[in-house]
Amino acid sequence: MTALRLATWNVNSIRTRVDRVTDWLARAEVDVLAMQETKCTDAQFPTLPFHQLGYEVAHVGANQWNGVAIASRVGLDDVEIGFPGQPAWGKADADPAVEARALGATCGGVRVWSLYVPNGRTLADPHYAYKLDWLAALRDTAAGWLRDDPSAPIALAGDWNIAPQDDDVWSMEFFEGATHVSEPERKAFQAITDAQFLDVVRPFTPGPGVYTYWDYTQLRFPKKQGMRIDFILGSPALATRVTHAEIVREERKGKSPSDHAPVLVDIRRD
């Protein structure tokens, strides 16, 4: 095997879309898939269809919200739930909890993180401040990984809920005053790329009009009114080994699709 194929996909309920996901895994010959918004508990995750295709699965989920998973056919070692310093979420009068939004594992020699960044909801919502805190904590922790080992091949893969550039949304006018495009969110994303985690997909998929997400409402997909919010950010040691990347737009079509498309990269094996 000359390359490792890594993909990320917000599946928007794995129990609803397990057949679509496993069918695509087989057709696309994906080695490692990071999944977000599985929307189920660990006990409810449909592991068997993945096992039948030769994939090991790690998953963390507590209820019908959030949930992240990694499926790998090239090994699944050193599984880690949450990253050090990951903020908790909850009302002040309740017990805040660290949500099921981050899962790490070593797969085929690459440290893969499946990440589901908080949405933010509105600029005035407490969830927005939580989102910025979450991203700042991720940046600090990820920078620490590289300080400890500058040669580590690390992939931060997932649904970032940020459109870093104006071309990453179909209409900046439509999103004026909304989350996903605000300056603080974009600066938070930039801080992670400044920490040497590079967007390894964009060079192969230049915009404008190249999206990974289309809302189910208002015929957004056929109207090509989407957002680019799903990314794979690679450490320097990983970024130099990426030979191909694509956004698999075709998987947004058909019966009962997720509202996100898979994003994949091929990584040269050293």
Side-chain angles (χ1 to χ4, degrees), residues 122-146:
T122 71
L123 300 185
D125 195 288
H127 208 258
Y128 179 75
Y130 165 58
K131 178 179 189 175
L132 297 178
D133 289 344
W134 201 96
L135 289 162
L138 175 63
R139 186 266 176 204
D140 291 346
T141 297
W145 292 332
L146 289 186

Side-chain angles (χ1 to χ4, degrees), residues 18 42-53 55-57 59:
V18 62
D42 293 345
Q44 292 170 328
F45 190 95
T47 304
L48 183 59
F50 290 90
H51 285 179
Q52 290 172 334
L53 288 176
Y55 292 85
E56 299 176 82
V57 178
H59 174 262

Side-chain angles (χ1 to χ4, degrees), residues 42 57-62 67-70 77-87 97-106 111-115 134 141 145:
D42 293 345
V57 178
H59 174 262
V60 57
V68 284
I70 299 173
D77 302 313
D78 302 321
V79 174
E80 187 175 357
I81 296 173
F83 57 84
Q86 181 178 332
V98 175
E99 296 183 303
R101 292 185 176 273
L103 182 69
T106 300
R111 188 64 177 168
V112 177
W113 280 91
S114 180
L115 303 171
W134 201 96
T141 297
W145 292 332

Side-chain angles (χ1 to χ4, degrees), residues 117 131 135 158-170 172 175 179-194 197-202 210-212 226-233 247:
V117 176
K131 178 179 189 175
L135 289 162
D159 177 358
W160 292 77
N161 273 314
I162 300 171
Q165 301 178 14
D166 288 357
D167 285 346
D168 293 339
V169 295
W170 66 273
M172 279 299 295
F175 286 100
T179 59
H180 294 58
V181 299
S182 71
E183 184 177 355
E185 289 167 288
R186 288 180 167 181
K187 284 184 175 179
F189 188 92
Q190 182 66 46
I192 294 172
T193 61
D194 287 346
F197 286 88
L198 306 177
D199 181 349
V200 297
V201 177
R202 194 183 295 271
V210 179
Y211 308 129
T212 65
M227 308 175 72
R228 188 198 287 249
I229 58 175
D230 302 84
F231 299 93
I232 299 174
L233 304 187
I247 298 165

Side-chain angles (χ1 to χ4, degrees), residues 4-22:
L4 182 146
R5 175 159 287 183
L6 166 67
T8 183
W9 196 357
N10 179 321
V11 295
N12 191 17
S13 178
I14 188 60
R15 288 179 292 171
T16 299
R17 275 168 264 283
V18 62
D19 291 341
R20 285 196 63 132
V21 172
T22 53

